[in-house]
Amino acid sequence: MYRPAQAVRAVAASVLLAVALSGCDGGVQGEPGGSGLRDPYFPKAGNGGYDVTHYGLTLGYEPAGRRLTGTAVITARATRDLSAFDLDLTGFEVRGVTVEGRDARFNRAGQELTVRPHDELRKGETFGVTVRYSGTPRTLTDADGSKEGWLPTSDGAVALGEPVGSMAWFPSNDHPSDKAAYDISVTVPGKLTAVSNGELKSVTVNGSRRTFHWHTAEPMASYLATVAIGDFQVSRYELENGTPVYVAVDPALAEASKPVLARLPEIMEWAEDNFGPYPFSSTGAIVDRVQGADYALETQNRPVFPSAPDTGTLVHELAHQWFGDSVTPKNWRDMWLNEAFATYAEWLWKEDNDGPSAQETFDAVYRGQGDNGMAVWDFPPARPSSAADISDAPVYDRGAMVLHKIRQKVGDDAFYDIVQGWAAAHRHGNASTADFTSYVEKKAPGKDFGEIWKDWLYGEGRPTSP
Ligand code: TRP
Ligand code: ZN
């Protein structure tokens, strides 16, 4: 194992001491896992040296005092020998950390919770970390001014985690590249309901409180985890193919949401026809008046809407279940892969439901007559200028234009093959822009996509012809 000379000298004494005390082999010593994954836009997000397989979150929340008490049991596999590793967590008082049942030392600096286990972890070893924490969760403000993290509502709260807000409610490897299964149990007072991802496994009553246990078996990125606490009107039913649906709506928004939510089964069926089999074991929606957040989010299984959704937004967030939630970007620069598909899904929905054709929508956007005018040309979809721009118009509309250019080049049959094949090839995984361009090229061997990539995906400014 390579180690610079200075570091060797610095650790030599402690190696000798450790060998003397424990009689261990002394040959290999772990190093800290690292405080970030060098994401091009969020370098501190996520951590090195391990891969999470399961999060077990046991949370209690009291809306009156805005106080959250949490125990996170994280199961992970070391990807190298580790003397220490980081989790991402912001706010809270950390009350204790154990690794494999033994008290671990920990330290906090910014969003990094550094854990130093009693015994070093060996590469390939599966280990359990328990973090006990409590306090008032924070609402975070992103580079673009939008709010995420923990967002209070009039009767509870909603957690939204894109791109880096999950660290405001549980300790995690907060980066889309590390997907895991989840069990989320939330205890809330009185008549309140706690809604989360996956399937509701149990509701247990304990005095004046109820605990809702939600299970997510399919891999989920941390930014897609959610919990919504409040007074909700809940409807549960099944799609024709048996997929369970769980919809929770703020009573004040019930009336206004009804006509659009009634179309959820129809939209799901349309999406399966177009994108292939639904990748998850349940679906639904959460509609709640979220203070300070005016955007919808494609939280896994059931997207969150901050007000009564319109049909286009419901189509968009459900399309994300295939593109974003099941096929997840490798890093935040690949964001356009999410938003291009979800936006193009809206264009396709209109085309299939008596609206303008996707070609007509494309032409209007090209002329600057789309919702975002000429802002569509601010930067190339695959190269947002900064972290503040990852949810701007080029990522959405111009990203959708890239997909439309591919469709023009290969024709409808091959295009739908590509769309469904892409969703299948990376189902429950991660993919990058380079993975996408090479996939398209492989599926249409006779075609030259060079100009589409150069002008539409990576090029600055408006291409000279539509
Ligand atoms: N992904 C959300 C949507 O399309 C929008 C969004 C919310 C977003 N928060 C974000 C995009 C943060 C990028 C970063 O439907
Ligand atoms: Zn979106």
Side-chain angles (χ1 to χ4, degrees):
M1 170 185 171
Y2 169 75
R3 202 198 296 278
Q6 271 184 325
V8 172
R9 276 199 299 279
V11 296
S14 61
V15 170
L16 288 174
L17 186 62
V19 171
L21 289 177
S22 67
C24 76
D25 63 303
V28 212
Q29 253 217 339
E31 291 180 351
S35 60
L37 289 170
R38 297 166 207 250
D39 185 279
Y41 295 82
F42 300 91
K44 286 188 294 187
N47 307 285
Y50 64 93
D51 190 30
V52 177
T53 51
H54 182 260
Y55 291 91
L57 309 178
T58 303
L59 311 176
Y61 188 65
E62 298 294 329
R66 291 194 180 174
R67 195 176 165 77
L68 185 144
T69 307
T71 301
V73 179
I74 300 165
T75 310
R77 198 177 49 82
T79 53
R80 56 185 120 117
D81 292 338
L82 290 173
S83 59
F85 59 88
D86 279 18
L87 292 164
D88 298 310
L89 181 70
T90 187
F92 300 109
E93 185 184 334
V94 174
R95 304 194 158 269
V97 180
T98 65
V99 176
E100 289 294 272
R102 298 191 72 158
D103 279 338
R105 291 204 289 185
F106 62 90
N107 176 59
R108 303 193 69 188
Q111 70 182 57
E112 303 301 324
L113 167 62
T114 303
V115 178
R116 194 167 291 278
H118 182 277
D119 301 309
E120 292 205 347
L121 300 163
R122 291 283 162 244
K123 180 178 178 177
E125 182 183 343
T126 295
F127 61 100
V129 192
T130 300
V131 180
R132 290 185 303 112
Y133 59 105
S134 61
T136 297
R138 289 182 182 168
T139 303
L140 309 181
T141 303
D142 292 334
D144 67 358
S146 61
K147 305 285 184 193
E148 59 164 338
W150 193 263
L151 300 141
T153 61
S154 58
D155 54 0
V158 175
L160 296 177
E162 188 178 27
V164 288
S166 287
M167 62 178 81
W169 63 285
F170 65 96
S172 71
N173 195 21
D174 201 2
H175 191 264
S177 57
D178 189 359
K179 298 165 78 167
Y182 283 69
D183 278 275
I184 302 177
S185 285
V186 189
T187 301
V188 289
K191 288 271 168 286
L192 297 183
T193 298
V195 186
S196 186
N197 313 93
E199 291 85 60
L200 182 60
K201 289 294 164 185
S202 66
V203 183
T204 49
V205 182
N206 200 329
S208 65
R209 291 187 167 67
R210 292 195 294 174
T211 300
F212 295 79
H213 171 201
W214 292 87
H215 174 67
T216 301
E218 293 95 10
M220 177 163 75
S222 52
Y223 80 92
L224 298 168
T226 188
V227 59
I229 295 164
D231 178 20
F232 289 115
Q233 282 184 14
V234 172
S235 33
R236 302 172 71 167
Y237 59 95
E238 285 180 2
L239 301 181
E240 242 160 60
N241 66 9
T243 303
V245 184
Y246 187 106
V247 176
V249 183
D250 180 327
L253 299 172
E255 185 79 12
S257 305
K258 213 170 173 181
V260 172
L261 291 176
R263 302 191 73 177
L264 188 143
E266 178 195 344
I267 295 168
M268 287 291 296
E269 273 165 36
W270 172 85
E272 291 205 86
D273 285 348
N274 286 281
F275 311 143
Y278 179 59
F280 302 121
S281 40
S282 65
T283 182
I286 298 168
V287 183
D288 201 1
R289 289 167 297 161
V290 186
Q291 284 163 31
D294 53 2
Y295 58 85
L297 187 64
E298 63 267 28
T299 45
Q300 194 154 308
N301 305 96
R302 49 192 59 80
V304 169
F305 302 89
S307 55
D310 56 33
T311 309
T313 309
L314 184 56
V315 168
H316 181 110
E317 304 307 334
L318 291 175
H320 270 309
Q321 302 300 312
W322 282 257
F323 307 105
D325 296 18
S326 172
V327 183
T328 305
K330 279 185 179 160
N331 68 51
W332 289 112
R333 189 161 62 195
D334 303 323
M335 178 74 186
W336 80 278
L337 286 170
N338 288 8
E339 301 307 341
F341 276 102
T343 302
Y344 201 64
E346 292 181 68
W347 297 9
L348 290 174
W349 172 267
K350 285 190 266 186
E351 174 171 288
D352 290 349
N353 290 275
D354 308 319
S357 67
Q359 182 66 51
E360 286 166 333
T361 305
F362 176 99
D363 291 338
V365 173
Y366 185 80
R367 288 192 303 263
Q369 290 162 348
D371 292 345
N372 297 302
M374 295 304 268
V376 171
W377 312 112
D378 283 354
F379 56 82
R383 291 285 179 271
S385 329
S386 75
D389 301 316
I390 63 166
S391 49
D392 286 354
V395 174
Y396 286 71
D397 299 353
R398 189 170 163 186
M401 295 177 105
V402 172
L403 299 181
H404 190 73
K405 293 303 290 183
I406 296 168
R407 181 179 174 192
Q408 284 180 337
K409 167 103 32 202
V410 302
D412 278 10
D413 285 353
F415 178 71
Y416 281 96
D417 276 355
I418 288 173
V419 169
Q420 295 184 12
W422 173 249
H426 296 281
R427 185 175 189 261
H428 297 167
N430 292 90
S432 66
T433 300
D435 293 331
F436 179 73
T437 54
S438 56
Y439 182 82
V440 172
E441 285 165 0
K442 196 183 77 191
K443 291 285 274 194
K447 308 278 183 197
D448 181 2
F449 296 92
E451 279 185 10
I452 299 181
W453 308 150
K454 182 164 86 55
D455 296 343
W456 292 87
L457 188 53
Y458 293 112
E460 295 289 345
R462 181 166 90 154
T464 43
S465 63

